[in-house]
Amino acid sequence: VYPAGFVALFVALHYATAADPTCCRLPQTLESESPRCVSGGGNLLLAQAIFAAAYLATLALVISLYRRTRLVPPWAHALLILSPRIHSLYVLRLFNDGVAMLFVWLWLACACSRRHALGGLLFSVALSIKMNALLFAPALAILVLRDVGWSGAIVRAVPALGLQLLLAAPFLRANAAGYLSRAFELSRSFEYRWTVNWKCVSPQIFGSRAFSAALLASHVVLLLVFAHRKWCPSDGSLPALLLRATKRRADVEQRSTAASDAAYSREVLTMALTCNFIGIATARTLHYQFYTYYFHSLPFLLWLAPLPTALRLALWLGIEWSFNVYPATPVSSFVLQVCHAALLLALLACGRTSLATHPSKGND
């Protein structure tokens, strides 16, 4: 149920940790569920060190981008290291989600420097590891179209698509229909017992098609509203950007020289991280490991919104507390939904120019 990059990643980990791949093929017996077989008999400590390195690399990337945008005060960077749930997901649970997000943040670093060709490849790697990278896709499309136009975007998309095909080649040869329908299954159903964000509704509502359709519609409407009113002020509107067939070289060069590096980086992160957060806030379900999808973006989003610092910290604590309640309860899910809604409304209330290019007031 995962794309091919995930398989390649964990096969590499098997070799790196000297694990026994045949152990994982044993039947579901007590022997195959023993600690030796859960890890494949490999060096689990080495695997944890590798994931810890990915965690630290992600942290270094996020802090460097935060410093580049000059939006989040340095003291608030401490929020990035205070989550026991995030520590667990990266270094104890060894989920693929964190590795996928490392490549997402690498893409964002390239996007801030307008290196869209390399950024597209890194985004493709992230997508090949976990499908959640698709939540960033609308922002990626707008950023690339704005700078290089439709023809340039198509040229840069070809290598990214080629990388997907290369990684998936063994599965496409064996069962192309099965791979495409399962690795990128958008209609996948989820179990109520694992949801973190919707325990505040009944299992019947959670599993209904109407509930799923309402969330999907909310996602699409919010994306259109933010894209039209918040992300494309310099382009006139979203339709104006989409109808422009070629890049405006003079406009790009003017932004490169007149606008500061901090302002452009802030604009890139604003579009990408709000785009992702919209998907999180309207998600069909969130599992504990999905916290990695947006945890590192929370300080940026909180300081982007025109909120008092005390309220910013309260929202951060509410989200963090909700993800540390296990198993999730109706109360923890309700708190999480309230925090998500409050932050989303604050971002929606931002002025057009303040959301796109300027830091919020009260940046202490």
Side-chain angles (χ1 to χ4, degrees):
V1 299
Y2 287 141
F6 162 80
V7 181
L9 169 66
F10 280 86
V11 166
L13 284 169
H14 258 73
Y15 283 108
T17 59
D20 178 10
T22 61
C23 185
C24 300
R25 300 194 186 104
L26 293 176
Q28 295 290 323
T29 64
L30 289 177
E31 181 182 359
S32 66
E33 292 299 317
S34 68
R36 183 184 76 86
C37 285
V38 168
S39 66
N43 186 340
L44 186 58
L45 184 61
L46 176 59
Q48 289 181 294
I50 293 171
F51 275 83
Y55 175 40
L56 293 176
T58 302
L59 190 62
L61 266 173
V62 174
I63 291 176
S64 68
L65 288 173
Y66 276 18
R67 288 171 58 86
R68 189 169 179 171
T69 63
R70 303 175 188 175
L71 175 65
V72 181
W75 66 264
H77 294 176
L79 298 175
L80 297 169
I81 60 172
L82 295 180
S83 173
R85 177 61 70 189
I86 289 295
H87 297 162
S88 172
L89 294 174
Y90 273 91
V91 186
L92 294 179
R93 307 298 179 181
L94 312 184
F95 281 112
N96 60 326
D97 306 76
V99 181
M101 287 306 300
L102 171 60
F103 285 96
V104 168
W105 284 100
L106 285 168
W107 158 62
L108 287 173
C110 289
C112 288
S113 302
R114 292 192 175 90
R115 300 171 65 185
H116 296 303
L118 177 58
L121 288 173
L122 292 167
F123 185 85
S124 184
V125 173
L127 183 60
S128 76
I129 297 174
K130 196 67 184 285
M131 196 173 59
N132 74 285
L134 283 175
L135 294 178
F136 292 89
L140 168 64
I142 291 175
L143 287 168
V144 176
L145 282 175
R146 173 181 291 171
D147 277 358
V148 300
W150 279 101
S151 58
I154 293 172
V155 168
R156 286 158 179 79
V158 170
L161 178 60
L163 180 60
Q164 287 289 328
L165 295 175
L166 179 64
L167 289 169
F171 305 98
L172 293 175
R173 284 196 300 265
N175 183 2
Y179 174 76
L180 295 174
S181 64
R182 295 294 287 160
F184 299 99
E185 185 183 1
L186 296 175
S187 60
R188 184 176 302 157
S189 60
F190 296 95
E191 294 186 32
Y192 179 75
R193 62 172 177 159
W194 294 119
T195 186
V196 178
N197 59 329
W198 287 117
K199 279 290 176 67
C200 51
V201 302
S202 68
Q204 292 73 24
I205 294 176
F206 178 82
S208 69
R209 290 187 177 182
F211 184 64
S212 178
L215 289 173
L216 179 59
S218 300
H219 188 182
V220 173
V221 169
L222 285 168
L223 283 177
L224 291 174
V225 169
F226 271 82
H228 182 66
R229 300 185 57 191
K230 307 291 184 180
W231 302 337
C232 302
S234 61
D235 303 287
S237 65
L238 177 61
L241 173 65
L242 296 177
L243 292 173
R244 195 172 71 218
T246 59
K247 66 179 178 179
R248 293 186 297 187
R249 182 178 299 275
D251 182 50
V252 173
E253 291 176 352
Q254 182 181 6
R255 283 205 302 271
S256 300
T257 56
S260 68
D261 176 71
Y264 183 73
S265 298
R266 192 180 305 127
E267 184 177 2
V268 169
L269 290 192
T270 294
M271 292 172 60
L273 300 184
T274 55
C275 182
N276 178 63
F277 183 69
I278 289 170
I280 294 295
T282 58
R284 175 73 168 74
T285 187
L286 294 177
H287 295 176
Y288 287 97
Q289 64 268 32
F290 295 1
Y291 196 20
T292 57
Y293 298 172
Y294 73 119
F295 169 78
H296 291 101
S297 68
L298 283 174
F300 182 89
L301 294 173
L302 289 167
W303 264 263
L304 182 67
L307 298 170
T309 298
L311 182 54
R312 290 168 177 152
L313 295 177
L315 292 176
W316 186 90
L317 284 171
I319 295 172
E320 175 66 19
W321 175 80
S322 298
F323 272 95
N324 279 279
V325 174
Y326 179 82
T329 66
V331 173
S332 66
S333 291
F334 180 76
V335 170
L336 183 62
Q337 293 293 352
V338 168
C339 292
H340 283 175
L343 180 53
L344 190 61
L345 289 173
L347 293 170
L348 191 60
C350 286
R352 177 182 296 184
T353 55
S354 65
L355 186 59
T357 56
H358 301 296
S360 60
K361 294 180 181 179
N363 182 10
D364 49 351

